[in-house]
Amino acid sequence: MNKTINQILFFIFLLILQVIILNNINFLGYINPYLYISFVFLYPLKESRFRFLFFSFLLGILIDFFSDSGGIHAFSILFIAYIRLFFVNLYFRKIPADYPFFKLKSESFGKVFNYVVTLTLIHHLIYFSFANFSFQNLSMVFLNTLYSSVFTLILFFLGNYIFTKSE
């Protein structure tokens, strides 16, 4: 199937999964999985940066629309989408000439784990900082960030293991 159609279907799948299922999970008041950020991890580096940032923002704003969260998801995902290349260069030692050939599944698990954990923690810290927006709730921000990040990471790696074809 065409790669553009696959990307569009993945975008729609993540949007529907997040809005219908994952937004309704609130375990112990701390755990909310935000699997939609996997769009940032898995979007090809060879594609246009503007297009990638636009689709990241669009995904975030659509989730905000359905979640009534006022732009917090859009800002959080756009931020990690913007800084993604820094972490690709940091963890994978890739330069712009390597981007057309870069595939996350061909990298070692340790590098992928560090990359995904870092971006997930940054996203969740930004999201929960804006959601609580008070220094009195700083412990709540860190608890939400920690627990939701762990749950999101478990879902990401489990889904990636299940849905990735072994070559």
Side-chain angles (χ1 to χ4, degrees):
M1 200 184 299
N2 190 355
K3 290 183 181 186
T4 306
I5 293 172
N6 281 342
Q7 291 171 355
I8 292 169
L9 291 175
F10 184 60
F11 179 93
I12 293 169
F13 170 74
L14 286 175
L15 177 65
I16 292 171
L17 179 69
Q18 187 66 46
V19 170
I20 294 177
I21 297 170
L22 299 178
N23 278 355
N24 295 315
I25 296 175
N26 190 3
F27 187 66
L28 300 175
Y30 297 110
I31 300 176
N32 296 32
Y34 296 109
L35 197 58
Y36 73 95
I37 64 174
S38 61
F39 180 78
V40 172
F41 309 145
L42 300 174
Y43 196 84
L45 288 178
K46 63 184 172 188
E47 299 292 329
S48 163
R49 184 167 166 87
F50 176 78
R51 183 176 168 195
F52 168 62
L53 292 174
F54 173 75
F55 284 127
S56 297
F57 175 76
L58 184 63
L59 180 60
I61 205 73
L62 287 171
I63 290 172
D64 281 323
F65 176 76
F66 291 111
S67 305
D68 196 26
S69 53
I72 301 172
H73 289 285
F75 179 78
S76 302
I77 195 171
L78 189 60
F79 186 81
I80 66 167
Y82 185 76
I83 65 171
R84 173 179 81 148
L85 286 181
F86 172 77
F87 290 105
V88 167
N89 295 334
L90 179 70
Y91 290 124
F92 303 110
R93 304 284 185 219
K94 300 296 180 190
I95 58 173
D98 296 330
Y99 294 166
F101 311 107
F102 178 77
K103 291 187 184 201
L104 201 60
K105 66 182 175 183
S106 65
E107 297 294 328
S108 69
F109 179 76
K111 291 178 181 180
V112 172
F113 183 79
N114 290 337
Y115 168 71
V116 170
V117 167
T118 303
L119 288 178
T120 301
L121 285 172
I122 291 170
H123 172 272
H124 285 41
L125 187 62
I126 291 170
Y127 175 78
F128 289 116
S129 295
F130 280 117
N132 290 313
F133 210 68
S134 171
F135 286 117
Q136 294 172 344
N137 297 331
L138 201 55
S139 63
M140 185 69 89
V141 169
F142 291 134
L143 283 176
N144 283 338
T145 299
L146 177 67
Y147 293 143
S148 293
S149 294
V150 168
F151 195 44
T152 301
L153 290 167
I154 289 170
L155 288 177
F156 173 76
F157 285 112
L158 187 64
N160 202 24
Y161 177 75
I162 292 170
F163 293 113
T164 301
K165 299 178 204 171
S166 59
E167 294 180 7

